Amino acid sequence: MYDMFVRPSGAAGEEGVRLMARSGTAMAREAVSLLGVEDPQARVLEIGFGPGLGIVALTGLLPAGEVIGVDPSEVSHRHAEARNAAAISRGNVVLLSGTAQALPLPDEHCDAAIFVDNLHFWPDPLEGLSEIRRVLRPGAPVVCAFTPPSGGPPSGLRRLFATAGFVDIEESVSANGSLLRAVHPSSV
């Protein structure tokens, strides 16, 4: 499971990323839509991008913006690079190695963030959410989503986001899975 989905590596990771690519497009699109980013020049972060499906959906909405993907897996990087090669060469997509707990970005660098099917694998979700809050600009939205194959959201998800300092927390369920949208507070 770890090598297949948590931090894809080796043959198991290749198969896991291919499975994610076959089943994750609908949730990636829904998470991006729920994010509600309207500025075509926005800078949006995707954490744990896997095969790069969320990046594809984001670049479609941000023709003059920047999508920053952060993932620790070399297998995920390879798949996302292939899937997003044109956007990378245009300079609209940057893929970085890292984790939610140690984002390689400066403070208040991003206008929004998404992460699908990975918060429940983070060693310390509160630390990861606090780090995300650090790199988001005040007022920035964040969407966390879980597809049914991932096992769904952990219990206490709303409380976790509130403890990390997010506001306007809304949870929803759709045919694609469970989603949570929250906002970095405007005044810190």
Side-chain angles (χ1 to χ4, degrees), residues 23-130:
S23 64
T25 299
M27 179 53 90
R29 288 181 180 154
E30 186 171 359
V32 167
S33 177
L34 184 60
L35 199 56
V37 174
E38 295 178 9
D39 179 359
Q41 297 181 345
R43 182 181 289 142
V44 180
L45 169 65
E46 182 176 11
I47 298 164
F49 54 75
L53 303 173
I55 293 169
V56 170
L58 285 164
T59 56
L61 293 176
L62 306 169
E66 181 180 37
V67 178
I68 302 167
V70 175
D71 195 298
S73 165
E74 291 179 25
V75 172
S76 293
H77 275 261
R78 208 169 39 257
H79 283 260
E81 286 167 1
R83 182 167 276 108
N84 294 282
I88 291 169
S89 66
R90 283 192 315 268
N92 296 100
V93 171
V94 175
L95 301 180
L96 304 171
S97 184
T99 65
Q101 291 77 24
L103 295 169
L105 299 168
D107 294 355
E108 298 184 10
H109 189 69
C110 298
D111 300 303
I114 66 168
F115 36 103
V116 178
D117 285 344
N118 60 63
L119 175 132
H120 51 320
F121 296 133
W122 299 354
D124 186 336
L126 183 57
E127 182 182 355
L129 289 175
S130 297

Side-chain angles (χ1 to χ4, degrees), residues 149-175:
S150 77
S155 64
L157 190 61
R158 176 186 289 272
R159 185 176 61 252
L160 179 65
F161 272 78
T163 302
F166 287 94
V167 297
D168 300 332
I169 302 166
E170 299 175 3
E171 293 179 283
S172 60
V173 176
S174 76

